[in-house]
Amino acid sequence: AQSVAQPEDQVNVAEGNPLTVKCTYSVSGNPYLFWYVQYPNRGLQFLLKYITGDNLVKGSYGFEAEFNKSQTSFHLKKPSALVSDSALYFCAVRDRDAGNMLTFGGGTRLMVKP
Amino acid sequence: GAVVSQHPSWVICKSGTSVKIECRSLDFQATTMFWYRQFPKQSLMLMATSNEGSKATYEQGVEKDKFLINHASLTLSTLTVTSAHPEDSSFYICSVYGIQRSYEQYFGPGTRLTVT
């Protein structure tokens, strides 16, 4: 079985400050890891993914995430937050040895204040 | 990137009626499509996986006779909520997974269903 945990329901950051949204995962095999963002009443937009290779992954809108195998984490980061980054963020995992199913974390609401 | 559309974007129906939601993959062939539902302020819950030309696979607890899924072509999947009840009110999101883009799923904009 695979699972994802996002321990924070909400993260509050001041505009211009760095942000981190935490994610840990559990899979039997090797993971494919993803971050998605969701704006109100919209579907999910892909931000970035880790498949293999460099542990630091850069994605859309200045976001990046670091794959840490020993800590089974894939935290989302951005050096300088924007008010427009305020949204709901989902971490997701797929076990590359166990089919196509994507499992989502519970989501973290990011609030960036001016 | 892939473009996935859903129709309608929102629908209001009366209790007891049926509603069909369409999901289209606009720029590549989707061998597998997923249907999710999302309650307010909650994560996405996978309802079923549909493969083109075969029966959908439903997740535990999802009534297959209530949520009918048809994946008749590589670009179209439909979800029909039969005999809808107020508790079926939710945000339904489809996702496509195509062999040409083997690592990513692309999500539709979602359909807001309200059953009165």
Side-chain angles (χ1 to χ4, degrees), chain B residues 2-3 6-7 10 16 19-20 30 33 36 43 49 51 53-54 61 68 76-77 84 87 90 96-97 99 109-111:
Chain B
V3 178
Q6 282 185 239
H7 178 80
W10 60 270
V19 174
K20 179 184 284 188
M33 289 186 173
Y36 296 84
S43 188
T49 303
N51 297 297
S54 63
L68 302 178
L76 174 65
S77 177
E87 57 266 30
S90 189
V96 304
Y97 175 88
I99 194 168
T111 297

PDB file of all heavy atoms in Angstrom, chain B residues 2-3 6-7 10 16 19-20 30 33 36 43 49 51 53-54 61 68 76-77 84 87 90 96-97 99 109-111:
ATOM      1  N   ALA B   2      -0.742  18.445 -21.725  1.00  0.00           N
ATOM      2  CA  ALA B   2      -2.020  17.884 -22.129  1.00  0.00           C
ATOM      3  C   ALA B   2      -3.153  18.788 -21.707  1.00  0.00           C
ATOM      4  O   ALA B   2      -3.085  19.481 -20.702  1.00  0.00           O
ATOM      5  CB  ALA B   2      -2.181  16.508 -21.500  1.00  0.00           C
ATOM      6  N   VAL B   3      -4.208  18.773 -22.466  1.00  0.00           N
ATOM      7  CA  VAL B   3      -5.403  19.533 -22.132  1.00  0.00           C
ATOM      8  C   VAL B   3      -6.532  18.568 -21.920  1.00  0.00           C
ATOM      9  O   VAL B   3      -6.825  17.729 -22.768  1.00  0.00           O
ATOM     10  CB  VAL B   3      -5.760  20.535 -23.248  1.00  0.00           C
ATOM     11  CG1 VAL B   3      -7.037  21.267 -22.903  1.00  0.00           C
ATOM     12  CG2 VAL B   3      -4.626  21.537 -23.440  1.00  0.00           C
ATOM     13  N   GLN B   6     -13.708  19.122 -19.199  1.00  0.00           N
ATOM     14  CA  GLN B   6     -14.868  18.493 -18.588  1.00  0.00           C
ATOM     15  C   GLN B   6     -16.092  19.327 -18.908  1.00  0.00           C
ATOM     16  O   GLN B   6     -16.035  20.550 -18.960  1.00  0.00           O
ATOM     17  CB  GLN B   6     -14.715  18.400 -17.069  1.00  0.00           C
ATOM     18  CG  GLN B   6     -13.822  17.284 -16.605  1.00  0.00           C
ATOM     19  CD  GLN B   6     -13.776  17.145 -15.090  1.00  0.00           C
ATOM     20  OE1 GLN B   6     -12.727  17.239 -14.485  1.00  0.00           O
ATOM     21  NE2 GLN B   6     -14.939  16.899 -14.479  1.00  0.00           N
ATOM     22  N   HIS B   7     -17.191  18.608 -19.077  1.00  0.00           N
ATOM     23  CA  HIS B   7     -18.449  19.293 -19.357  1.00  0.00           C
ATOM     24  C   HIS B   7     -19.585  18.549 -18.672  1.00  0.00           C
ATOM     25  O   HIS B   7     -19.650  17.321 -18.781  1.00  0.00           O
ATOM     26  CB  HIS B   7     -18.710  19.354 -20.873  1.00  0.00           C
ATOM     27  CG  HIS B   7     -20.017  19.999 -21.207  1.00  0.00           C
ATOM     28  ND1 HIS B   7     -20.192  21.370 -21.224  1.00  0.00           N
ATOM     29  CD2 HIS B   7     -21.228  19.460 -21.493  1.00  0.00           C
ATOM     30  CE1 HIS B   7     -21.437  21.649 -21.531  1.00  0.00           C
ATOM     31  NE2 HIS B   7     -22.090  20.516 -21.700  1.00  0.00           N
ATOM     32  N   TRP B  10     -20.415  23.035 -14.145  1.00  0.00           N
ATOM     33  CA  TRP B  10     -21.245  22.949 -12.953  1.00  0.00           C
ATOM     34  C   TRP B  10     -22.656  22.543 -13.383  1.00  0.00           C
ATOM     35  O   TRP B  10     -23.091  22.837 -14.495  1.00  0.00           O
ATOM     36  CB  TRP B  10     -21.257  24.251 -12.170  1.00  0.00           C
ATOM     37  CG  TRP B  10     -21.759  25.437 -12.912  1.00  0.00           C
ATOM     38  CD1 TRP B  10     -21.041  26.308 -13.665  1.00  0.00           C
ATOM     39  CD2 TRP B  10     -23.137  25.881 -12.991  1.00  0.00           C
ATOM     40  NE1 TRP B  10     -21.871  27.264 -14.202  1.00  0.00           N
ATOM     41  CE2 TRP B  10     -23.153  27.044 -13.815  1.00  0.00           C
ATOM     42  CE3 TRP B  10     -24.327  25.424 -12.447  1.00  0.00           C
ATOM     43  CZ2 TRP B  10     -24.323  27.736 -14.095  1.00  0.00           C
ATOM     44  CZ3 TRP B  10     -25.493  26.116 -12.730  1.00  0.00           C
ATOM     45  CH2 TRP B  10     -25.485  27.241 -13.548  1.00  0.00           C
ATOM     46  N   GLY B  16     -33.067  12.355  -7.491  1.00  0.00           N
ATOM     47  CA  GLY B  16     -33.713  11.296  -8.241  1.00  0.00           C
ATOM     48  C   GLY B  16     -33.400  11.291  -9.717  1.00  0.00           C
ATOM     49  O   GLY B  16     -33.652  10.291 -10.407  1.00  0.00           O
ATOM     50  N   VAL B  19     -27.303  12.481 -13.936  1.00  0.00           N
ATOM     51  CA  VAL B  19     -26.454  13.515 -14.520  1.00  0.00           C
ATOM     52  C   VAL B  19     -25.244  12.864 -15.177  1.00  0.00           C
ATOM     53  O   VAL B  19     -24.608  11.998 -14.575  1.00  0.00           O
ATOM     54  CB  VAL B  19     -25.969  14.498 -13.433  1.00  0.00           C
ATOM     55  CG1 VAL B  19     -24.977  15.493 -14.010  1.00  0.00           C
ATOM     56  CG2 VAL B  19     -27.135  15.203 -12.795  1.00  0.00           C
ATOM     57  N   LYS B  20     -24.935  13.300 -16.393  1.00  0.00           N
ATOM     58  CA  LYS B  20     -23.768  12.772 -17.097  1.00  0.00           C
ATOM     59  C   LYS B  20     -22.694  13.845 -17.169  1.00  0.00           C
ATOM     60  O   LYS B  20     -22.958  14.987 -17.559  1.00  0.00           O
ATOM     61  CB  LYS B  20     -24.135  12.323 -18.510  1.00  0.00           C
ATOM     62  CG  LYS B  20     -22.941  11.784 -19.309  1.00  0.00           C
ATOM     63  CD  LYS B  20     -23.307  11.425 -20.732  1.00  0.00           C
ATOM     64  CE  LYS B  20     -24.071  10.133 -20.807  1.00  0.00           C
ATOM     65  NZ  LYS B  20     -24.263   9.681 -22.211  1.00  0.00           N
ATOM     66  N   ALA B  30      -5.743   8.875 -24.489  1.00  0.00           N
ATOM     67  CA  ALA B  30      -5.695   8.500 -23.081  1.00  0.00           C
ATOM     68  C   ALA B  30      -6.162   7.063 -22.921  1.00  0.00           C
ATOM     69  O   ALA B  30      -7.353   6.773 -23.005  1.00  0.00           O
ATOM     70  CB  ALA B  30      -6.565   9.443 -22.257  1.00  0.00           C
ATOM     71  N   MET B  33      -8.191   6.557 -17.821  1.00  0.00           N
ATOM     72  CA  MET B  33      -8.744   7.768 -17.221  1.00  0.00           C
ATOM     73  C   MET B  33      -9.174   7.458 -15.798  1.00  0.00           C
ATOM     74  O   MET B  33      -9.583   6.332 -15.498  1.00  0.00           O
ATOM     75  CB  MET B  33      -9.935   8.287 -18.028  1.00  0.00           C
ATOM     76  CG  MET B  33      -9.556   8.897 -19.369  1.00  0.00           C
ATOM     77  SD  MET B  33     -10.996   9.629 -20.173  1.00  0.00           S
ATOM     78  CE  MET B  33     -10.229  10.435 -21.566  1.00  0.00           C
ATOM     79  N   TYR B  36     -12.224  11.177  -9.880  1.00  0.00           N
ATOM     80  CA  TYR B  36     -12.079  11.507  -8.469  1.00  0.00           C
ATOM     81  C   TYR B  36     -13.273  12.337  -8.028  1.00  0.00           C
ATOM     82  O   TYR B  36     -13.897  13.033  -8.826  1.00  0.00           O
ATOM     83  CB  TYR B  36     -10.816  12.349  -8.232  1.00  0.00           C
ATOM     84  CG  TYR B  36      -9.499  11.676  -8.543  1.00  0.00           C
ATOM     85  CD1 TYR B  36      -8.985  11.660  -9.838  1.00  0.00           C
ATOM     86  CD2 TYR B  36      -8.742  11.084  -7.535  1.00  0.00           C
ATOM     87  CE1 TYR B  36      -7.772  11.061 -10.118  1.00  0.00           C
ATOM     88  CE2 TYR B  36      -7.517  10.488  -7.808  1.00  0.00           C
ATOM     89  CZ  TYR B  36      -7.050  10.483  -9.103  1.00  0.00           C
ATOM     90  OH  TYR B  36      -5.832   9.886  -9.380  1.00  0.00           O
ATOM     91  N   SER B  43      -9.176  16.232   0.401  1.00  0.00           N
ATOM     92  CA  SER B  43      -8.341  15.771  -0.693  1.00  0.00           C
ATOM     93  C   SER B  43      -9.174  15.042  -1.739  1.00  0.00           C
ATOM     94  O   SER B  43     -10.377  14.853  -1.578  1.00  0.00           O
ATOM     95  CB  SER B  43      -7.245  14.850  -0.146  1.00  0.00           C
ATOM     96  OG  SER B  43      -6.311  14.539  -1.161  1.00  0.00           O
ATOM     97  N   THR B  49     -11.149   3.697 -12.000  1.00  0.00           N
ATOM     98  CA  THR B  49     -10.193   3.758 -13.095  1.00  0.00           C
ATOM     99  C   THR B  49     -10.840   3.146 -14.324  1.00  0.00           C
ATOM    100  O   THR B  49     -11.376   2.030 -14.244  1.00  0.00           O
ATOM    101  CB  THR B  49      -8.922   2.969 -12.749  1.00  0.00           C
ATOM    102  OG1 THR B  49      -8.368   3.490 -11.548  1.00  0.00           O
ATOM    103  CG2 THR B  49      -7.911   3.065 -13.873  1.00  0.00           C
ATOM    104  N   ASN B  51     -10.375   2.014 -18.353  1.00  0.00           N
ATOM    105  CA  ASN B  51      -9.477   1.724 -19.451  1.00  0.00           C
ATOM    106  C   ASN B  51     -10.284   1.613 -20.731  1.00  0.00           C
ATOM    107  O   ASN B  51     -11.340   0.991 -20.746  1.00  0.00           O
ATOM    108  CB  ASN B  51      -8.715   0.424 -19.189  1.00  0.00           C
ATOM    109  CG  ASN B  51      -7.824   0.515 -17.977  1.00  0.00           C
ATOM    110  OD1 ASN B  51      -6.889   1.300 -17.927  1.00  0.00           O
ATOM    111  ND2 ASN B  51      -8.135  -0.277 -16.968  1.00  0.00           N
ATOM    112  N   GLY B  53     -12.177   0.683 -23.741  1.00  0.00           N
ATOM    113  CA  GLY B  53     -12.680  -0.570 -24.271  1.00  0.00           C
ATOM    114  C   GLY B  53     -12.942  -1.656 -23.255  1.00  0.00           C
ATOM    115  O   GLY B  53     -13.309  -2.775 -23.626  1.00  0.00           O
ATOM    116  N   SER B  54     -12.767  -1.362 -21.979  1.00  0.00           N
ATOM    117  CA  SER B  54     -13.044  -2.377 -20.968  1.00  0.00           C
ATOM    118  C   SER B  54     -13.805  -1.761 -19.799  1.00  0.00           C
ATOM    119  O   SER B  54     -13.984  -0.550 -19.729  1.00  0.00           O
ATOM    120  CB  SER B  54     -11.741  -3.020 -20.478  1.00  0.00           C
ATOM    121  OG  SER B  54     -10.930  -2.058 -19.853  1.00  0.00           O
ATOM    122  N   GLY B  61     -16.025   0.730  -1.794  1.00  0.00           N
ATOM    123  CA  GLY B  61     -16.999   1.661  -1.247  1.00  0.00           C
ATOM    124  C   GLY B  61     -17.710   2.504  -2.280  1.00  0.00           C
ATOM    125  O   GLY B  61     -18.636   3.235  -1.931  1.00  0.00           O
ATOM    126  N   LEU B  68     -21.893   5.277 -13.046  1.00  0.00           N
ATOM    127  CA  LEU B  68     -21.612   4.526 -14.274  1.00  0.00           C
ATOM    128  C   LEU B  68     -20.524   5.213 -15.077  1.00  0.00           C
ATOM    129  O   LEU B  68     -20.619   6.389 -15.389  1.00  0.00           O
ATOM    130  CB  LEU B  68     -22.894   4.416 -15.119  1.00  0.00           C
ATOM    131  CG  LEU B  68     -24.088   3.744 -14.446  1.00  0.00           C
ATOM    132  CD1 LEU B  68     -25.288   3.738 -15.378  1.00  0.00           C
ATOM    133  CD2 LEU B  68     -23.741   2.330 -14.007  1.00  0.00           C
ATOM    134  N   LEU B  76     -12.471  10.087 -24.763  1.00  0.00           N
ATOM    135  CA  LEU B  76     -13.702  10.418 -24.048  1.00  0.00           C
ATOM    136  C   LEU B  76     -14.052   9.376 -23.000  1.00  0.00           C
ATOM    137  O   LEU B  76     -14.102   8.187 -23.276  1.00  0.00           O
ATOM    138  CB  LEU B  76     -14.868  10.553 -25.030  1.00  0.00           C
ATOM    139  CG  LEU B  76     -16.270  10.764 -24.409  1.00  0.00           C
ATOM    140  CD1 LEU B  76     -16.321  12.094 -23.673  1.00  0.00           C
ATOM    141  CD2 LEU B  76     -17.342  10.691 -25.480  1.00  0.00           C
ATOM    142  N   SER B  77     -14.288   9.877 -21.786  1.00  0.00           N
ATOM    143  CA  SER B  77     -14.849   9.051 -20.726  1.00  0.00           C
ATOM    144  C   SER B  77     -16.020   9.810 -20.128  1.00  0.00           C
ATOM    145  O   SER B  77     -15.985  11.046 -20.037  1.00  0.00           O
ATOM    146  CB  SER B  77     -13.806   8.763 -19.647  1.00  0.00           C
ATOM    147  OG  SER B  77     -14.372   8.022 -18.570  1.00  0.00           O
ATOM    148  N   ALA B  84     -29.533  10.635  -8.481  1.00  0.00           N
ATOM    149  CA  ALA B  84     -28.697  11.461  -7.605  1.00  0.00           C
ATOM    150  C   ALA B  84     -29.426  11.857  -6.326  1.00  0.00           C
ATOM    151  O   ALA B  84     -30.639  12.080  -6.317  1.00  0.00           O
ATOM    152  CB  ALA B  84     -28.251  12.706  -8.368  1.00  0.00           C
ATOM    153  N   GLU B  87     -26.445  13.901  -1.017  1.00  0.00           N
ATOM    154  CA  GLU B  87     -25.113  13.500  -0.550  1.00  0.00           C
ATOM    155  C   GLU B  87     -24.137  13.233  -1.694  1.00  0.00           C
ATOM    156  O   GLU B  87     -22.941  13.058  -1.451  1.00  0.00           O
ATOM    157  CB  GLU B  87     -25.193  12.261   0.359  1.00  0.00           C
ATOM    158  CG  GLU B  87     -25.853  11.054  -0.261  1.00  0.00           C
ATOM    159  CD  GLU B  87     -27.336  10.960   0.070  1.00  0.00           C
ATOM    160  OE1 GLU B  87     -27.988  12.017   0.269  1.00  0.00           O
ATOM    161  OE2 GLU B  87     -27.835   9.819   0.129  1.00  0.00           O
ATOM    162  N   SER B  90     -20.893  17.198  -4.915  1.00  0.00           N
ATOM    163  CA  SER B  90     -19.441  17.160  -4.743  1.00  0.00           C
ATOM    164  C   SER B  90     -18.782  17.784  -5.961  1.00  0.00           C
ATOM    165  O   SER B  90     -19.452  18.211  -6.899  1.00  0.00           O
ATOM    166  CB  SER B  90     -18.982  15.708  -4.589  1.00  0.00           C
ATOM    167  OG  SER B  90     -17.616  15.631  -4.222  1.00  0.00           O
ATOM    168  N   VAL B  96      -6.393  12.130 -16.859  1.00  0.00           N
ATOM    169  CA  VAL B  96      -5.993  11.225 -17.920  1.00  0.00           C
ATOM    170  C   VAL B  96      -4.553  10.807 -17.746  1.00  0.00           C
ATOM    171  O   VAL B  96      -3.721  11.560 -17.244  1.00  0.00           O
ATOM    172  CB  VAL B  96      -6.203  11.854 -19.326  1.00  0.00           C
ATOM    173  CG1 VAL B  96      -7.640  12.276 -19.500  1.00  0.00           C
ATOM    174  CG2 VAL B  96      -5.276  13.021 -19.549  1.00  0.00           C
ATOM    175  N   TYR B  97      -4.294   9.613 -18.182  1.00  0.00           N
ATOM    176  CA  TYR B  97      -2.967   9.025 -18.090  1.00  0.00           C
ATOM    177  C   TYR B  97      -2.740   8.322 -19.424  1.00  0.00           C
ATOM    178  O   TYR B  97      -3.429   7.382 -19.746  1.00  0.00           O
ATOM    179  CB  TYR B  97      -2.931   8.018 -16.959  1.00  0.00           C
ATOM    180  CG  TYR B  97      -1.647   7.234 -16.814  1.00  0.00           C
ATOM    181  CD1 TYR B  97      -0.607   7.738 -16.048  1.00  0.00           C
ATOM    182  CD2 TYR B  97      -1.505   5.992 -17.415  1.00  0.00           C
ATOM    183  CE1 TYR B  97       0.562   7.008 -15.901  1.00  0.00           C
ATOM    184  CE2 TYR B  97      -0.344   5.274 -17.269  1.00  0.00           C
ATOM    185  CZ  TYR B  97       0.687   5.774 -16.511  1.00  0.00           C
ATOM    186  OH  TYR B  97       1.836   5.056 -16.360  1.00  0.00           O
ATOM    187  N   ILE B  99      -0.141   6.672 -22.420  1.00  0.00           N
ATOM    188  CA  ILE B  99       1.108   5.933 -22.533  1.00  0.00           C
ATOM    189  C   ILE B  99       2.214   6.793 -23.109  1.00  0.00           C
ATOM    190  O   ILE B  99       3.383   6.590 -22.863  1.00  0.00           O
ATOM    191  CB  ILE B  99       0.893   4.661 -23.373  1.00  0.00           C
ATOM    192  CG1 ILE B  99       2.077   3.709 -23.214  1.00  0.00           C
ATOM    193  CG2 ILE B  99       0.665   5.007 -24.842  1.00  0.00           C
ATOM    194  CD1 ILE B  99       1.826   2.327 -23.776  1.00  0.00           C
ATOM    195  N   PRO B 109     -10.703  20.416 -15.309  1.00  0.00           N
ATOM    196  CA  PRO B 109     -11.020  21.561 -14.449  1.00  0.00           C
ATOM    197  C   PRO B 109     -12.059  21.244 -13.388  1.00  0.00           C
ATOM    198  O   PRO B 109     -12.294  22.056 -12.501  1.00  0.00           O
ATOM    199  CB  PRO B 109     -11.532  22.599 -15.433  1.00  0.00           C
ATOM    200  CG  PRO B 109     -12.089  21.790 -16.561  1.00  0.00           C
ATOM    201  CD  PRO B 109     -11.210  20.593 -16.667  1.00  0.00           C
ATOM    202  N   GLY B 110     -12.686  20.061 -13.477  1.00  0.00           N
ATOM    203  CA  GLY B 110     -13.661  19.678 -12.466  1.00  0.00           C
ATOM    204  C   GLY B 110     -15.084  20.051 -12.831  1.00  0.00           C
ATOM    205  O   GLY B 110     -15.327  20.958 -13.638  1.00  0.00           O
ATOM    206  N   THR B 111     -16.025  19.325 -12.237  1.00  0.00           N
ATOM    207  CA  THR B 111     -17.460  19.588 -12.400  1.00  0.00           C
ATOM    208  C   THR B 111     -18.087  19.666 -11.024  1.00  0.00           C
ATOM    209  O   THR B 111     -17.975  18.727 -10.235  1.00  0.00           O
ATOM    210  CB  THR B 111     -18.142  18.474 -13.208  1.00  0.00           C
ATOM    211  OG1 THR B 111     -17.601  18.435 -14.531  1.00  0.00           O
ATOM    212  CG2 THR B 111     -19.648  18.698 -13.270  1.00  0.00           C
TER     213      THR B 111
END
